[in-house]
């Protein structure tokens, strides 16, 4: 990039291109943390380059996912804390593509903002980089766009895109699922990045005190609890896939149990979930109580403490739990697969 590039007229219209240069310089230290053997280029070019290592892969299949963080960003703005929201962005993409059995390779982010404040942008990208480190992929590029007149100066939005790879023969195939298989839950870190339009309404976050300690949350504030970043399950799930025949994976996002678990269940079978086995996190009890929300709506909106569900053969349950726990997951059984026309019985 040319540091000689500067437009007084463009700056007067609300876009300071030199702020963009500064932001890129500040974020480079974060991006460098994510570099791996596939990286071929430096940040700041017109496209990110990544070299594929296809050793041991007979039929490579690329798997792509894209998503944003949603209105959880409003919490980051209210609390003026921007260094974790990027983790959510990576997780929403990377956790999706591992449901196919794909290993994330690289990630790109897109930040739209009312005004480019380099330090804030660098904090956001720092979170993205941390998410990439946690999922083992490289941050190979991105875009920051100032939108004066379209967005207030302090506002921003964040989205991302992730590409992964899997051998065609190892793509998770739910057609192998059968009655008697077992559903394993991986605990979530909190609300993750879904349902925040309802959460913000329940707690009236724009007007209420969300920074004081709350007993029901173990002394943490509502704001701190809600801003807890989405857990990344990439490395633990890939470790499981290496050793166990995984038959189905669901990332529990918007729509909760009722929308996401059925997505990995074939016709003629259903997941019978034992609600009493679900380790519901205190934040969900507080949302339900404060908002007077029905239990069904809670399970149809939030992850309720389960960020991902995995279906494995009954004979592999103990081995699966050992692998997942050895990789840092709070993993436990929440149900079984049965013959049913309803894909979820809750």
């Amino acid at each position: 990039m040319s540091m000689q590039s500067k437009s007084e007229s463009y700056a007067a219209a609300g876009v300071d291109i030199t702020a963009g240069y500064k932001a890129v310089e500040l974020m480079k230290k974060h991006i460098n943390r994510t570099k791996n053997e596939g990286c071929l280029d430096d940040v700041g070019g017109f496209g990110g380059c990544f070299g594929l290592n296809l050793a041991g892969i007979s039929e490579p299949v690329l798997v792509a996912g894209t998503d944003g963080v949603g209105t959880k960003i409003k919490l980051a703005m209210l609390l003026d804390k921007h260094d974790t929201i990027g983790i959510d962005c990576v997780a929403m993409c990377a956790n999706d593509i591992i449901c196919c059995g794909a290993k994330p390779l690289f990630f790109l982010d897109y930040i739209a903002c009312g005004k480019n404040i380099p330090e804030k942008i660098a904090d956001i990208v720092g979170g993205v980089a941390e998410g990439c480190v946690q999922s083992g992929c490289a941050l190979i590029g991105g875009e920051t766009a100032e939108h004066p007149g379209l967005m207030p100066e302090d506002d921003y939005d964040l989205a991302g895109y992730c590409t992964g790879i899997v051998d065609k023969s190892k793509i998770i195939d739910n057609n192998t699922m059968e009655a008697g298989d077992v559903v394993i839950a991986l605990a979530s870190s909190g609300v993750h990045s879904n349902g925040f339009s309802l959460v913000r309404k329940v707690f009236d976050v724009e007007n209420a005190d969300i920074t004081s300690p709350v007993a029901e949350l173990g002394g943490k504030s509502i704001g701190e609890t809600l801003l807890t970043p989405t857990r990344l399950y990439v490395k633990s799930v890939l470790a499981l896939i290496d050793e166990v025949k995984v038959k189905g994976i669901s990332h529990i996002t918007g729509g909760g149990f009722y929308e996401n678990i059925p997505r990995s269940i074939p016709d003629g079978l259903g997941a019978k979930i034992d609600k009493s086995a679900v380790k519901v996190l205190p934040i969900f009890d507080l949302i339900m109580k404060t908002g007077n929300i029905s239990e069904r709506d809670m399970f149809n909106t939030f992850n309720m403490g389960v960020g991902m569900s995995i279906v494995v053969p009954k004979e592999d349950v103990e081995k699966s739990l050992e692998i997942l726990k050895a990789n840092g997951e709070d993993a436990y059984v929440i149900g079984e697969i049965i013959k049913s026309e309803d894909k979820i019985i809750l």
Side-chain angles (χ1 to χ4, degrees), residues 12-34:
V15 178
D16 182 0
I17 56 179
T18 60
Y21 301 150
K22 182 178 179 182
V24 170
E25 289 304 312
L26 290 175
M27 67 178 71
K28 278 187 175 181
K29 64 179 180 181
H30 301 299
I31 296 170
N32 287 337
R33 296 178 57 215
T34 75

Side-chain angles (χ1 to χ4, degrees), residues 166-244:
V166 60
D167 201 325
K168 187 176 181 180
S169 64
K170 295 182 179 180
I171 294 174
I172 303 299
D173 181 9
N174 67 3
N175 288 315
T176 64
M177 203 176 293
E178 58 188 355
D181 289 338
V182 174
V183 183
I184 292 175
L186 302 188
S188 69
S189 56
V191 182
H192 284 183
S193 299
N194 307 103
F196 271 84
S197 294
L198 177 55
V199 168
R200 288 167 46 236
K201 179 182 178 182
V202 167
F203 292 125
D204 190 20
V205 297
E206 282 86 354
N207 302 301
D209 175 14
I210 60 170
T211 60
S212 295
V214 176
E216 295 97 316
L217 301 177
K220 291 186 176 181
S221 70
I222 289 174
E224 180 185 3
T225 302
L226 293 176
L227 204 55
T228 301
T230 305
R231 184 167 181 81
L232 275 148
Y233 301 101
V234 174
K235 293 180 179 179
S236 53
V237 171
L238 290 176
L240 178 66
I241 292 171
D242 280 344
E243 298 191 49
V244 171

